[in-house]
Amino acid sequence: MRIRPIVAAGLVLLATACSSGSSQGTPPAPTPSAEPQDVSLKIPGIEVKKYRSPGHIEMPDRVAYDQSPPFGGYHDISWAACNGVVYTKAVRNENMVHSLEHGAVWIAYNPDTLPAAGVEALAKKVTGVPYMLMSPYPGLDKPISLQSWEHRLKLDDPADPRIDAFVSALKQNEFTHPEPGATCDNPSFDQDNPPSFDPSPAPAGSAPVGS
Protein backbone atom coordinates (compact mmCIF):
# COMPACT_ATOMS: atom_id res chain seq x y z
CA MET A 1 0.00 0.00 0.00
CA ARG A 2 1.37 3.43 -0.99
CA ILE A 3 0.19 6.30 1.20
CA ARG A 4 1.15 9.84 0.27
CA PRO A 5 0.53 12.17 3.21
CA ILE A 6 -0.49 15.77 2.76
CA VAL A 7 -0.99 18.45 5.36
CA ALA A 8 -4.45 19.25 6.73
CA ALA A 9 -5.42 20.28 10.23
CA GLY A 10 -8.49 19.29 12.18
CA LEU A 11 -9.92 17.68 15.28
CA VAL A 12 -12.07 14.60 15.52
CA LEU A 13 -15.73 15.51 15.85
CA LEU A 14 -18.96 13.86 14.80
CA ALA A 15 -22.05 15.99 15.29
CA THR A 16 -25.58 16.40 14.02
CA ALA A 17 -26.72 20.01 13.92
CA CYS A 18 -30.25 19.13 14.93
CA SER A 19 -32.95 16.59 14.21
CA SER A 20 -34.18 16.16 10.67
CA GLY A 21 -37.67 17.51 11.38
CA SER A 22 -39.92 18.41 8.51
CA SER A 23 -38.42 18.40 5.04
CA GLN A 24 -40.60 21.35 4.01
CA GLY A 25 -40.15 25.05 4.58
CA THR A 26 -36.45 25.02 5.52
CA PRO A 27 -34.97 28.35 4.41
CA PRO A 28 -31.93 28.18 2.14
CA ALA A 29 -28.59 28.64 3.85
CA PRO A 30 -26.98 32.05 3.30
CA THR A 31 -24.04 32.42 0.97
CA PRO A 32 -20.74 31.49 2.66
CA SER A 33 -18.86 34.45 4.10
CA ALA A 34 -16.08 35.02 6.58
CA GLU A 35 -18.61 35.35 9.42
CA PRO A 36 -19.81 32.71 10.00
CA GLN A 37 -17.47 30.49 7.99
CA ASP A 38 -19.65 27.35 8.00
CA VAL A 39 -23.26 28.39 7.56
CA SER A 40 -24.23 24.80 6.77
CA LEU A 41 -24.44 24.11 10.50
CA LYS A 42 -27.86 25.79 10.42
CA ILE A 43 -29.26 23.09 8.12
CA PRO A 44 -31.41 20.60 10.07
CA GLY A 45 -30.03 17.07 10.01
CA ILE A 46 -26.53 17.86 8.76
CA GLU A 47 -23.67 15.66 9.94
CA VAL A 48 -20.15 17.00 10.46
CA LYS A 49 -17.00 14.99 11.08
CA LYS A 50 -13.47 16.40 11.08
CA TYR A 51 -10.61 14.44 9.52
CA ARG A 52 -6.97 15.18 10.22
CA SER A 53 -3.97 14.57 7.99
CA PRO A 54 -5.72 13.15 4.91
CA GLY A 55 -3.43 11.67 2.26
CA HIS A 56 -3.37 9.78 -1.02
CA ILE A 57 -3.41 6.15 -2.04
CA GLU A 58 -3.24 4.62 -5.52
CA MET A 59 -5.34 1.88 -7.12
CA PRO A 60 -5.91 -0.91 -6.28
CA ASP A 61 -5.38 0.13 -2.65
CA ARG A 62 -8.43 1.01 -0.58
CA VAL A 63 -9.33 3.14 2.43
CA ALA A 64 -11.06 1.77 5.53
CA TYR A 65 -13.80 4.39 5.54
CA ASP A 66 -15.83 4.84 8.71
CA GLN A 67 -18.89 6.32 6.98
CA SER A 68 -21.13 5.26 4.10
CA PRO A 69 -21.06 7.20 1.88
CA PRO A 70 -17.70 8.59 3.04
CA PHE A 71 -17.16 12.33 3.20
CA GLY A 72 -13.54 12.84 4.19
CA GLY A 73 -10.22 11.21 4.97
CA TYR A 74 -7.65 9.40 2.85
CA HIS A 75 -8.54 9.06 -0.83
CA ASP A 76 -7.20 8.12 -4.25
CA ILE A 77 -4.56 10.30 -5.87
CA SER A 78 -6.92 10.72 -8.87
CA TRP A 79 -10.17 12.60 -8.29
CA ALA A 80 -13.44 11.82 -10.02
CA ALA A 81 -14.25 14.48 -12.60
CA CYS A 82 -16.69 16.79 -10.85
CA ASN A 83 -17.54 19.43 -13.42
CA GLY A 84 -21.27 18.71 -13.54
CA VAL A 85 -21.00 14.98 -14.21
CA VAL A 86 -23.95 12.65 -13.66
CA TYR A 87 -22.45 9.17 -13.44
CA THR A 88 -24.76 6.33 -14.41
CA LYS A 89 -22.55 3.76 -12.67
CA ALA A 90 -21.56 3.60 -9.02
CA VAL A 91 -18.06 5.04 -8.64
CA ARG A 92 -15.20 3.99 -6.38
CA ASN A 93 -15.39 5.80 -3.03
CA GLU A 94 -11.73 6.73 -2.96
CA ASN A 95 -12.02 8.79 -6.15
CA MET A 96 -15.23 10.51 -5.09
CA VAL A 97 -13.79 11.62 -1.75
CA HIS A 98 -10.89 13.32 -3.54
CA SER A 99 -13.45 15.39 -5.47
CA LEU A 100 -14.87 16.58 -2.15
CA GLU A 101 -11.41 17.73 -1.12
CA HIS A 102 -11.51 20.04 -4.15
CA GLY A 103 -14.72 21.69 -2.96
CA ALA A 104 -17.27 19.63 -4.88
CA VAL A 105 -20.69 18.45 -3.71
CA TRP A 106 -21.51 14.82 -4.44
CA ILE A 107 -25.14 13.73 -4.65
CA ALA A 108 -25.48 9.99 -4.10
CA TYR A 109 -28.76 8.11 -4.43
CA ASN A 110 -30.06 4.61 -3.89
CA PRO A 111 -31.14 3.31 -7.33
CA ASP A 112 -33.51 0.83 -5.65
CA THR A 113 -35.45 3.33 -3.54
CA LEU A 114 -35.36 6.64 -5.45
CA PRO A 115 -37.88 6.68 -8.33
CA ALA A 116 -36.72 7.60 -11.81
CA ALA A 117 -38.47 10.98 -11.56
CA GLY A 118 -36.43 11.75 -8.45
CA VAL A 119 -33.18 10.79 -10.18
CA GLU A 120 -34.09 13.07 -13.07
CA ALA A 121 -34.88 15.97 -10.73
CA LEU A 122 -31.53 15.64 -8.99
CA ALA A 123 -29.65 15.29 -12.28
CA LYS A 124 -31.01 18.68 -13.35
CA LYS A 125 -29.27 20.23 -10.34
CA VAL A 126 -25.94 18.65 -11.35
CA THR A 127 -25.63 18.43 -15.13
CA GLY A 128 -23.05 20.90 -16.38
CA VAL A 129 -22.70 22.65 -13.02
CA PRO A 130 -19.06 23.09 -11.96
CA TYR A 131 -18.06 21.38 -8.69
CA MET A 132 -21.09 19.07 -8.74
CA LEU A 133 -21.25 15.33 -9.35
CA MET A 134 -23.85 12.63 -8.89
CA SER A 135 -23.85 8.83 -8.86
CA PRO A 136 -25.89 5.82 -7.77
CA TYR A 137 -24.85 4.30 -4.44
CA PRO A 138 -26.19 0.75 -4.01
CA GLY A 139 -27.25 -0.13 -0.48
CA LEU A 140 -27.61 3.48 0.67
CA ASP A 141 -29.81 3.59 3.79
CA LYS A 142 -31.72 6.65 2.55
CA PRO A 143 -32.89 7.49 -0.97
CA ILE A 144 -30.50 10.48 -1.14
CA SER A 145 -27.22 11.46 0.51
CA LEU A 146 -25.34 14.71 -0.11
CA GLN A 147 -21.62 14.91 0.63
CA SER A 148 -19.12 17.73 0.77
CA TRP A 149 -15.79 17.59 2.59
CA GLU A 150 -16.49 16.67 6.24
CA HIS A 151 -20.24 17.24 5.77
CA ARG A 152 -23.13 14.94 4.91
CA LEU A 153 -26.93 15.19 4.73
CA LYS A 154 -29.20 12.19 4.17
CA LEU A 155 -32.71 12.81 2.85
CA ASP A 156 -35.82 11.07 1.54
CA ASP A 157 -37.31 13.62 -0.85
CA PRO A 158 -35.61 15.06 -3.97
CA ALA A 159 -37.82 18.15 -3.55
CA ASP A 160 -36.47 18.82 -0.03
CA PRO A 161 -35.28 22.48 0.11
CA ARG A 162 -32.32 21.41 2.23
CA ILE A 163 -30.66 20.09 -0.93
CA ASP A 164 -30.27 23.59 -2.37
CA ALA A 165 -29.32 24.91 1.07
CA PHE A 166 -26.52 22.33 1.36
CA VAL A 167 -25.15 23.14 -2.10
CA SER A 168 -25.34 26.89 -1.51
CA ALA A 169 -23.56 26.66 1.82
CA LEU A 170 -20.80 24.20 0.96
CA LYS A 171 -19.97 24.07 -2.75
CA GLN A 172 -16.54 25.72 -3.10
CA ASN A 173 -16.79 27.17 0.39
CA GLU A 174 -13.14 28.05 1.00
CA PHE A 175 -13.57 27.64 4.75
CA THR A 176 -14.82 24.03 4.66
CA HIS A 177 -12.49 22.08 2.36
CA PRO A 178 -8.69 21.71 2.20
CA GLU A 179 -7.94 22.78 -1.38
CA PRO A 180 -9.69 26.00 -2.43
CA GLY A 181 -9.17 26.66 -6.11
CA ALA A 182 -8.37 23.04 -7.02
CA THR A 183 -9.84 22.00 -10.36
CA CYS A 184 -12.66 19.56 -10.97
CA ASP A 185 -11.42 18.82 -14.49
CA ASN A 186 -9.53 15.53 -14.76
CA PRO A 187 -8.99 14.43 -18.38
CA SER A 188 -7.33 11.21 -17.22
CA PHE A 189 -10.48 10.09 -15.35
CA ASP A 190 -12.78 8.03 -17.58
CA GLN A 191 -16.26 9.42 -16.96
CA ASP A 192 -17.90 6.74 -19.12
CA ASN A 193 -16.13 3.84 -17.44
CA PRO A 194 -15.01 5.05 -14.00
CA PRO A 195 -13.38 2.81 -11.35
CA SER A 196 -16.13 0.64 -9.93
CA PHE A 197 -17.68 1.04 -6.51
CA ASP A 198 -16.78 -1.84 -4.18
CA PRO A 199 -19.38 -2.38 -1.42
CA SER A 200 -17.30 -4.98 0.44
CA PRO A 201 -15.40 -4.02 3.61
CA ALA A 202 -11.88 -2.77 3.00
CA PRO A 203 -9.38 -5.62 3.52
CA ALA A 204 -6.84 -5.76 6.31
CA GLY A 205 -3.92 -3.49 5.61
CA SER A 206 -6.01 -0.81 3.88
CA ALA A 207 -5.20 2.83 4.58
CA PRO A 208 -6.85 4.20 7.73
CA VAL A 209 -9.43 6.86 7.07
CA GLY A 210 -7.38 9.41 9.01
CA SER A 211 -9.92 10.44 11.64
Side-chain angles (χ1 to χ4, degrees):
M1 178 180 68
R2 300 172 296 278
I3 299 177
R4 301 188 178 186
I6 59 176
V7 177
L11 299 175
V12 179
L13 171 66
L14 181 60
T16 300
C18 56
S19 62
S20 298
S22 171
S23 65
Q24 302 302 318
T26 304
T31 302
S33 62
E35 188 61 43
Q37 294 181 349
D38 187 358
V39 294
S40 74
L41 299 178
K42 298 180 179 180
I43 301 173
I46 197 164
E47 300 171 82
V48 178
K49 180 166 185 176
K50 298 297 182 181
Y51 291 93
R52 65 175 182 268
S53 300
H56 293 154
I57 63 164
E58 295 183 51
M59 286 186 67
D61 293 340
R62 295 181 63 193
V63 176
Y65 286 117
D66 58 347
Q67 303 291 326
S68 182
F71 52 101
Y74 273 80
H75 45 269
D76 196 85
I77 196 168
S78 179
W79 61 95
C82 46
N83 47 3
V85 182
V86 176
Y87 292 95
T88 58
K89 302 175 182 178
V91 184
R92 182 169 171 262
N93 280 328
E94 288 82 357
N95 301 98
M96 301 298 264
V97 171
H98 194 157
S99 301
L100 305 184
E101 187 184 42
H102 286 202
V105 169
W106 167 27
I107 300 180
Y109 65 93
N110 188 327
D112 295 322
T113 60
L114 185 67
V119 176
E120 183 179 355
L122 293 176
K124 289 180 179 179
K125 297 178 182 292
V126 174
T127 303
V129 179
Y131 292 89
M132 294 287 293
L133 69 168
M134 175 175 164
S135 70
Y137 199 91
L140 183 61
D141 59 354
K142 287 279 190 176
I144 303 164
S145 183
L146 282 71
Q147 288 71 228
S148 71
W149 184 261
E150 298 180 340
H151 297 73
R152 183 176 64 189
L153 179 64
K154 291 185 175 182
L155 301 168
D156 296 302
D157 185 356
D160 195 314
R162 287 176 291 174
I163 295 175
D164 290 341
F166 186 98
V167 174
S168 175
L170 292 168
K171 183 167 73 80
Q172 289 187 278
N173 183 340
E174 63 180 306
F175 302 110
T176 61
H177 68 96
E179 297 187 359
T183 184
C184 259
D185 293 325
N186 188 354
S188 65
F189 191 83
D190 190 343
Q191 298 180 23
D192 296 320
N193 188 30
S196 297
F197 169 71
D198 187 345
S200 66
S206 295
V209 69
S211 60

